[in-house]
Amino acid sequence: MDPEVISNFLTEQRENAPENLQQNFLDIEDYWDRKLWHQLTDVLITYFQNPESSSQRLALFRSFILSFAEKINQLKFVSLGLSAATQCSDDHERLTFLTDLTDKVDKPASQDAYVYSLVAASEVKLRLQDFDGARKDLNKAESILDTFDSVETEVHATFYKTNATYFQAKHDFAAYYRNALLYLACIDLKNLTRDEAQSRAYDLSVAALISDSIYNFGELLLHPILDSLTSTEHAWLRELLFAFNRGDLAAYNVLENNLSKSTLLQEHKTFLWQKISLSALTEAVFRRPPHDRAMTFATISQETHVQPQEIEILIMKALSLGLLRGSIDQVAEIARINWVQPKVLDMKQIDNMRVRLKDWDSSVNQLGHWIEGVGKDVWAA
């Protein structure tokens, strides 16, 4: 492009910019004249991050940045393009813009930028209800990401966030839960607004509860994102998660009325009762010492509040899910458990473990005294 045309364009943009941002255009033109592409890119990114620049982003990108696009870092080029895309009139225009941007960086040396742009386009497709197109793009992005030894965290964060959005729309709650946690691992939580943090914590909590393959909430229970629900209207959801983790049927009964506040939880109410029953079973086994884990069906029924005729099915479900290991004596109606899946412990569970350790220590001391008493002659020899 003719340098004079660009110079006139930048002068026009500077005059149209807010007074406090006009100095940026002097820096932009200076770096462009001297072909200092790295410095030019950084000052443009800083300018685009200012909310007051919104009305000029598209024009700057189309009439200025595209003229030297191949000379700058392609990942930063895409970042500038994504900022400009926010000013498109609607998602249809935005998708066209991002598709063109994606094609421009589809080169062997800029595959990270290609993935970044491709995922951004798939996010727009999700909003337009083009789930098949979004899934195709996301699968392609994932296959490329798997070939990288390392990549900028913002690329991974964008991929996991959009992938989570897709699975949430498809009601694949386990996949959403996994991708949403991976997204949180790629970002600084301080960059989330309070509403964003609460929304993410709420969606993760619901997904963890109604997924038929997630029975261990340890990673979520330990994640600081969950604290964003404290002292809010959704605080009960956090309490419900901890109740499930410790198999607390009494707490579940108290909190059960809140399920109607969530359509998904209300729809899965029967399943949630089955899930808390399984948790109560594993907790009952965990509380017992290893030598006392042969439990009658009657004992299990008392511990889990499940009808006696349904106890065998409950145990078989726990065994098939890998929550327990052991065997069932159908004739004697006894379950012999030799292993229970580890999980995160709350303070009450830790205190129960402390009591068990004290009992074990006392038993060891008693055994030592008994051996010393009956084996005096042996010890003397």
Side-chain angles (χ1 to χ4, degrees):
M1 185 178 288
D2 187 344
E4 186 176 350
V5 173
I6 290 182
S7 181
N8 291 336
F9 171 78
L10 291 176
T11 300
E12 180 186 348
Q13 291 298 312
R14 182 179 72 247
E15 293 173 350
N16 293 332
E19 187 175 346
N20 61 310
L21 296 180
Q22 290 183 3
Q23 177 60 41
N24 293 83
F25 280 95
L26 295 176
D27 294 334
I28 288 170
E29 189 164 3
D30 177 47
Y31 292 141
W32 176 74
D33 281 338
R34 294 194 286 159
K35 296 180 172 54
L36 299 176
W37 308 119
H38 175 72
Q39 291 86 340
L40 176 58
T41 305
D42 287 345
V43 74
L44 281 167
I45 287 176
T46 301
Y47 185 71
F48 274 36
Q49 288 173 344
N50 191 312
E52 293 184 76
S53 72
S54 60
S55 61
Q56 295 178 297
R57 292 174 194 166
L58 268 177
L60 278 169
F61 189 85
R62 286 169 169 161
S63 301
F64 178 57
I65 296 173
L66 284 177
S67 68
F68 55 87
E70 295 184 358
K71 296 179 173 65
I72 64 176
N73 179 289
Q74 294 298 278
L75 198 58
K76 292 182 178 181
F77 169 61
V78 169
S79 181
L80 290 167
L82 298 186
S83 294
T86 61
Q87 301 310 304
C88 292
S89 59
D90 56 37
D91 279 334
H92 292 285
E93 181 188 348
R94 189 170 294 110
L95 181 58
T96 300
F97 179 90
L98 292 175
T99 301
D100 291 341
L101 178 63
T102 302
D103 291 340
K104 284 182 175 64
V105 293
D106 186 10
K107 303 169 186 175
S110 57
Q111 287 295 284
D112 54 346
Y114 173 68
V115 168
Y116 196 21
S117 185
L118 185 65
V119 171
S122 71
E123 185 177 8
V124 177
K125 288 181 180 180
L126 286 176
R127 292 201 295 269
L128 293 172
Q129 303 293 303
D130 181 9
F131 295 109
D132 291 340
R135 185 68 262 161
K136 182 180 178 181
D137 288 348
L138 288 168
N139 287 342
K140 189 172 185 179
E142 185 173 23
S143 66
I144 297 172
L145 282 172
D146 288 341
T147 65
F148 292 153
D149 292 327
S150 63
V151 68
E152 293 291 333
T153 54
E154 63 184 316
V155 178
H156 265 134
T158 303
F159 170 75
Y160 289 130
K161 180 182 180 181
T162 308
N163 217 24
T165 302
Y166 170 84
F167 287 121
Q168 186 178 31
K170 287 295 186 178
H171 284 196
D172 187 338
F173 300 109
Y176 165 77
Y177 180 83
R178 182 169 58 255
N179 280 273
L181 284 175
L182 286 169
Y183 162 66
L184 293 177
C186 294
I187 65 169
D188 185 346
L189 294 182
K190 295 177 183 177
N191 293 330
L192 294 177
T193 66
R194 184 174 68 173
D195 288 344
E196 287 173 338
Q198 289 178 6
S199 176
R200 185 66 65 180
Y202 180 89
D203 290 341
L204 272 167
S205 299
V206 171
L209 288 168
I210 63 181
S211 169
D212 60 3
S213 60
I214 301 174
Y215 289 84
N216 191 331
F217 312 140
E219 194 171 358
L220 178 57
L221 296 178
L222 294 174
H223 203 290
I225 193 73
L226 200 59
D227 294 334
S228 64
L229 296 179
T230 305
S231 302
T232 69
E233 61 179 323
H234 303 307
W236 61 271
L237 191 55
R238 182 178 182 275
E239 295 173 15
L240 187 62
L241 276 174
F242 280 96
F244 266 78
N245 186 63
R246 61 178 182 268
D248 191 337
L249 292 168
Y252 175 79
N253 290 332
V254 171
L255 296 167
E256 186 179 11
N257 290 334
N258 290 294
L259 297 181
S260 59
K261 297 177 181 178
S262 166
T263 303
L264 283 172
L265 292 178
Q266 184 64 27
E267 290 175 353
H268 290 78
K269 192 172 182 179
T270 301
F271 170 74
L272 289 173
W273 172 250
Q274 296 170 352
K275 198 167 186 175
I276 190 71
S277 299
L278 285 167
S279 185
L281 171 60
T282 58
E283 180 64 19
V285 174
F286 177 77
R287 287 199 303 265
R288 292 170 173 266
H291 63 271
D292 186 26
R293 288 183 174 173
M295 303 172 65
T296 65
F297 285 12
T299 300
I300 294 174
S301 178
Q302 185 178 2
E303 293 274 2
T304 62
H305 299 179
V306 173
Q307 296 299 316
Q309 64 271 21
E310 298 175 358
I311 292 299
E312 186 176 346
I313 296 175
L314 179 70
I315 300 169
M316 291 175 65
K317 182 72 172 176
L319 293 173
S320 67
L321 289 168
L323 304 177
L324 302 174
R325 293 177 190 165
S327 60
I328 303 174
D329 187 332
Q330 294 173 304
V331 177
E333 294 191 338
I334 293 176
R336 294 182 173 85
I337 309 301
N338 52 45
W339 180 86
V340 60
Q341 185 185 74
K343 60 182 176 180
V344 172
L345 305 180
D346 61 20
M347 295 306 296
K348 183 178 179 181
Q349 291 169 307
I350 291 174
D351 186 61
N352 289 336
M353 195 172 229
R354 180 185 63 81
V355 171
R356 284 169 51 190
L357 286 171
K358 286 180 66 177
D359 291 342
W360 174 79
D361 182 61
S362 176
S363 298
V364 170
N365 283 332
Q366 290 177 10
L367 179 61
H369 293 321
W370 178 81
I371 292 175
E372 185 178 356
V374 299
K376 290 180 179 179
D377 294 338
V378 176
W379 301 130

